[in-house]
Amino acid sequence: MADLTQSPRPIGDVWARIDKVALTGALIVLVLAVFDRGAVVPILGTALDHFMGTLPFILVAVAAIAAMKASGSERLLDGVFKGREVRMILIGALVGGLSPFCSCQVIPFVAALLAAGAPLSAVMAFWLASPLMDPAMFAITAGGLGVDFAIAKTLAALGLGVAGGLMVKLMAASPVFADPLRVAPKIGGCCRARKKTVNWRFWTEAERRQSFVQSGASNLVFLGKWLALAYVLQAVMIAYVPADLVVRVIGGDGVGPILLAVLVGAPAYLNGYAAVPLMAGLLSQGMNPGAAMAFVIAGGVSSIPAAVAVWALVKPRVFAAYLGFALTGAMIAGVLWSAIA
């Protein structure tokens, strides 16, 4: 028989214990089941395929974070960025623009950089540039839209990263960028209780082995649940946002289509590789080339998976700055390319 002498748990306590990310994912599936039951399995299958493709990157990042904490090697990074912030911004943008990772795959590595104490300015530079260009993307873009467009997009990616990083550096003391991280990334144990000494053979000590397991497990759950939700949202967008609607909205000439391309490209997820033939078709019909550039820049940096994951790592004010940099940079890139092309 139930113990009726115990007081019921307050509703607030129960709500606090519910995982909001998992609840959001469950609600999305429930809505799909009610309104379009036949789409549930394909959408979840697409999300799972994309998540499994990213899982190796997640595991590597989680293992790196856990090993850094267990070995105490995170202490070696304490002085790496001191006095070199501008250089790190340039390097962050350059590495981000050349890294062969999509916007979601860089998130675990960004989490590791933030946990290691890297300056937000350098991370922001990497964050803004990384979704836009990589070697494979350059080759596909050059083949579909021309070498000039590919070079211009690469320069736009690097310029956006450097500009965003420098803006963060200049505004570092402002309330916008003070204490930028959410509490959640710290739960994984990446930023607390640093070892006084470095021991690369951390598995030889029981305490360090325990630290490795605990840190790895908590970060795997944290990153895994947010990326899983991101891929579900991505699959929903792909399933229900028709490509011809995007085409109709951003067609035309003048500055207007560039602004529309920025506004549409930001919330509407569009795979960077799939965007190439779509933009090529629009350009062949007389579309303003600046609108194509603005769309791929805004869509790449602010796509749903990337935005959700960024939201998970930093506070809303930093997230708003991230989106502001992306939209402003996309508009500038579109206007400049429209004038040059």
Side-chain angles (χ1 to χ4, degrees), residues 186-320:
K186 299 179 182 179
I187 294 177
C190 299
C191 303
R192 57 182 178 176
R194 292 186 176 184
K195 300 291 181 181
K196 294 183 179 180
T197 60
V198 177
N199 182 6
W200 296 105
R201 298 170 60 86
F202 61 86
W203 54 88
T204 61
E205 300 180 28
E207 182 181 357
R208 293 178 187 262
R209 289 197 302 269
Q210 182 180 10
S211 173
F212 177 85
V213 172
Q214 292 177 346
S215 178
S218 59
N219 278 289
L220 180 60
V221 171
F222 170 74
L223 293 172
K225 69 181 182 182
W226 275 103
L227 288 176
L229 175 61
Y231 280 126
V232 169
L233 291 173
Q234 169 188 320
V236 170
M237 291 291 293
I238 292 175
Y240 293 107
V241 178
D244 59 343
L245 174 62
V246 177
V247 170
R248 290 198 301 270
V249 171
I250 62 175
D253 295 319
V255 178
I258 298 177
L259 177 60
L260 288 176
V262 171
L263 298 178
V264 172
Y269 174 78
L270 186 63
N271 179 275
Y273 300 106
V276 172
L278 175 61
M279 293 298 103
L282 290 174
L283 288 171
S284 67
Q285 298 173 5
M287 175 186 180
N288 187 328
M293 180 64 71
F295 185 86
V296 295
I297 297 295
V301 179
S302 305
S303 62
I304 292 297
V308 169
V310 174
W311 174 267
L313 294 177
V314 297
K315 293 181 178 178
R317 46 190 162 79
V318 181
F319 176 77

Side-chain angles (χ1 to χ4, degrees), residues 59-184:
L59 294 177
V60 170
V62 166
I65 295 172
M68 180 184 299
K69 174 175 172 57
S71 65
S73 59
E74 56 186 0
R75 295 186 67 250
L76 299 177
L77 297 177
D78 287 347
V80 170
F81 301 103
K82 292 181 180 179
R84 304 181 179 91
E85 190 171 355
V86 173
R87 180 177 65 86
M88 289 309 303
I89 291 172
L90 297 175
I91 293 176
L94 183 61
V95 173
L98 299 178
S99 61
F101 306 125
C102 73
S103 57
C104 284
Q105 291 168 340
V106 303
I107 298 305
F109 297 98
V110 168
L113 288 173
L114 291 172
L120 181 63
S121 58
V123 173
M124 183 68 76
F126 175 82
W127 225 340
L128 289 168
S130 60
L132 297 177
M133 187 56 67
D134 57 57
M137 176 63 72
F138 184 91
I140 293 175
T141 303
L145 299 174
V147 175
D148 291 344
F149 191 98
I151 294 175
K153 186 183 177 185
T154 302
L155 294 176
L158 298 178
L160 177 58
V162 172
L166 291 176
M167 286 298 296
V168 173
K169 181 181 183 301
L170 293 174
M171 300 174 62
S174 70
V176 176
F177 298 108
D179 188 24
L181 298 184
R182 287 180 181 268
V183 175

